[in-house]
Amino acid sequence: MSIYQVEGGRTLEGTAIVHGAKNSVLPILAAAVLCPGVSVVHNCPDLSDVRASIAILEHLGCRVERSGDTVTVDASGLTRNDVPDALMREMRSSVIFLGAILARTGAAELSMPGGCELGPRPIDLHLAAIRALGAEIREEGGALHCALPKCGLRGCQIDLSIPSVGATENAMLCACGAAGTTVINNAAREPEIVDLQGFLRALGADVRGAGTSTVTVTGRKTLHGGEHTVMPDRIVAATLLSAVAAAGGEAEILGTDYRQLSTVTAILTEAGCRVRSGEQRITIRRDGPLQGVRPIRTAPYPGFPTDAQPPVMAALCRSRGTTVFVENMFESRYRHVDELCRMGARIRVEGRVAVVCGVERLHGAPLRAADLRGGAALVVAALGAEGVSRIEGLSHIDRGYHGLEETLRGMGAQIRRLEDGGGGLPNL
Ligand code: EPZ
């Protein structure tokens, strides 16, 4: 078991480059199933969730090769249409393969994805959208047995009651196999949806409107191989910005479209950071104490991203004043709070509300990550704390961050990944 060992109290300086977006590349890799040819995906981050997706592609009969940050998927010879339980359990968002497998093969067998650390993760909207396109889905024995009627998938109008990112993506992929036109209303508007549309269009699919609440797909186009470069990960960028806010210093985060993070940069500016945005770069400086800010309510894009809530909260633990967080997207997304309190943070949680009473200092402590973004929050807090923190549970962090310790070390952080628990306190 590896751990992070972090010696806080050092400011961060320099430049960081953001890797490709996890939440964009996962649906893109699923979408590669649609194409009876070769897809080339550039800027593909090496994350455990990506490795899980590649394992599913190979299980289905695709040939997948990685060369650096480029992953090539040859889906010409699909041999299966099932995602086994073990692979579904490894990554619950594997449900995103359902629409693409159905569209390509006409049938699909997936085990029900469980909940996760964030609480129940229902897929009712995914299933309703795919049923609206004509699929027959039987939920039995913890598995989804999916088949198509003789007439196959047919375009339709899909009205999402929640602008669900995953349901929007599953509907888009399934609609690519439907005769006629599908209109997805109340679609999620996240930038990752726009990136998925870019990939689908590179394959020859007719998909329009991504980034707005109405996505239109004209299906049954003859798809061909294509190339696409994955967008930078805006949540990794938000995490690095939070790290500078917590530790102090000045750094430049390269690769991110600042317009995708305006809610986060606005909060960090209000808290007292100096943020400058340029083309594909955000510069942040924090030298004075942070201040508490207006209530932060997480919401679907373009609202404040739920995935940025934990790292931003970690930064605001050391501030003058109080900040109220309202987590509207997931039921259990405050699992980092107890760990932050072990470092001296003063946070009260009542249901979806967390009240952070800023303190002057945090102290290092032995910490345990319970989920992906909560784990990143512990790293952010440790960077701004006095003394040494040891963070367990890196398997959560590795799902969405590639080389986080190298990136932070390149900015002057004293952080090491130690194998097998790390033993004593080595010199950092
Ligand atoms: C995606 O999850 C992201 N994951 C999440 O990132 C992100 O937090 C979330 O979107 C919101 O932005 C990936 O893209 C792989 P939703 P997803 O469907 O698609 C409810 C991370 O840390 N809902 O938009 O699962 C759901 O319970 C992860 O990188 C239903 O009720 O999110 C939630 O309350 C965490 N029924 C709300 O909608 C459904 O069928 C939004 O979820 C689907 C969702």
Side-chain angles (χ1 to χ4, degrees):
M1 170 195 75
S2 53
I3 67 160
Y4 276 154
Q5 183 147 310
V6 183
E7 180 170 1
R10 290 169 176 262
T11 56
L12 300 183
E13 322 286 338
T15 300
I17 298 173
V18 174
H19 61 61
K22 167 180 87 78
N23 291 349
S24 175
V25 75
L26 296 184
I28 283 174
L29 290 173
V33 164
L34 290 169
C35 161
V38 177
S39 304
V40 181
V41 181
H42 300 294
N43 199 28
C44 181
D46 184 13
L47 304 167
S48 54
D49 272 7
V50 170
R51 291 194 288 273
S53 294
I54 290 173
I56 291 171
L57 287 170
E58 290 173 334
H59 169 82
L60 295 171
C62 301
R63 287 183 53 245
V64 184
E65 284 172 21
R66 176 185 277 274
S67 167
D69 281 348
T70 295
V71 166
T72 302
V73 181
D74 179 349
S76 52
L78 228 62
T79 56
R80 302 178 68 109
N81 56 27
D82 68 305
V83 178
D85 190 54
L87 290 177
M88 283 298 292
R89 286 182 183 284
E90 204 170 317
M91 184 180 67
R92 61 156 302 284
S93 54
S94 308
V95 70
I96 192 62
F97 277 87
L98 173 56
I101 293 173
L102 257 182
R104 174 75 188 276
T105 69
E109 295 286 325
L110 278 74
S111 61
M112 282 293 280
C116 75
E117 307 85 4
L118 305 182
R121 300 291 293 275
I123 60 166
D124 55 311
L125 299 179
H126 297 240
L127 301 185
I130 291 172
R131 282 183 169 121
L133 287 161
E136 293 145 9
I137 303 178
R138 196 162 37 85
E139 300 170 56
E140 195 176 278
L144 296 169
H145 309 278
C146 313
L148 299 186
K150 283 195 177 34
C151 62
L153 295 165
R154 312 200 62 73
C156 67
Q157 176 162 310
I158 294 170
D159 298 327
L160 293 176
S161 55
I162 297 174
S164 155
V165 171
T168 300
E169 293 164 344
N170 236 332
M172 286 165 70
L173 299 187
C174 197
C176 286
T181 297
T182 297
V183 178
I184 305 167
N185 294 315
N186 197 29
R189 294 185 278 166
E190 271 69 3
E192 291 77 18
I193 308 273
V194 178
D195 214 29
L196 176 60
Q197 174 179 277
F199 176 71
L200 289 170
R201 292 171 71 87
L203 302 185
D206 182 346
V207 186
R208 307 158 194 265
T212 74
S213 296
T214 304
V215 174
T216 303
V217 179
T218 303
R220 294 251 178 104
K221 297 294 180 189
T222 303
L223 301 187
H224 47 71
E227 288 198 62
H228 182 78
T229 299
V230 175
M231 63 177 270
D233 194 311
R234 60 192 171 100
I235 305 303
V236 169
T239 305
L240 295 173
L241 292 168
S242 301
V244 178
E250 179 165 8
E252 193 175 48
I253 313 300
L254 296 182
T256 297
D257 179 344
Y258 66 92
R259 289 161 295 190
Q260 298 174 352
L261 278 175
S262 52
T263 51
V264 174
T265 53
I267 287 293
L268 294 176
T269 301
E270 184 182 334
C273 297
R274 189 179 69 84
V275 180
R276 292 283 178 274
S277 299
E279 203 50 44
Q280 300 300 313
R281 71 180 61 226
I282 301 176
T283 303
I284 182 168
R285 189 175 82 196
R286 200 274 287 171
D287 29 39
L290 291 177
Q291 309 295 325
V293 297
R294 73 190 65 203
I296 296 174
R297 298 178 178 82
T298 64
Y301 195 85
F304 190 94
T306 174
D307 297 346
Q309 174 261 105
V312 168
M313 178 187 287
L316 292 174
C317 284
R318 286 176 64 224
S319 64
R320 289 178 181 161
T322 296
T323 299
V324 173
F325 286 81
V326 185
E327 174 51 63
N328 294 308
M329 303 302 286
F330 293 111
E331 281 183 17
S332 172
R333 195 159 211 174
Y334 287 138
R335 300 180 67 186
H336 45 288
V337 166
D338 287 347
E339 299 300 297
L340 294 173
C341 291
R342 289 163 65 92
M343 303 173 76
R346 286 180 54 212
I347 308 170
R348 283 287 307 279
V349 172
E350 291 287 334
R352 288 184 178 273
V353 177
V355 180
V356 178
C357 300
V359 295
E360 194 177 342
R361 57 175 59 87
L362 296 178
H363 53 77
L367 306 167
R368 178 184 298 273
D371 60 65
L372 166 56
R373 307 301 175 185
L378 301 184
V379 175
V380 167
L383 292 168
E386 293 169 357
V388 177
S389 300
R390 295 163 71 95
I391 302 171
E392 294 183 357
L394 299 197
S395 60
H396 294 292
I397 299 175
D398 291 345
R399 287 187 45 222
Y401 296 86
H402 174 65
L404 182 60
E405 65 273 17
E406 282 93 357
T407 301
L408 290 169
R409 241 196 338 269
M411 297 163 77
Q414 286 292 315
I415 178 172
R416 285 274 180 278
R417 179 189 281 259
L418 305 174
E419 298 310 327
D420 61 61
L425 287 178
N427 56 334
L428 282 159

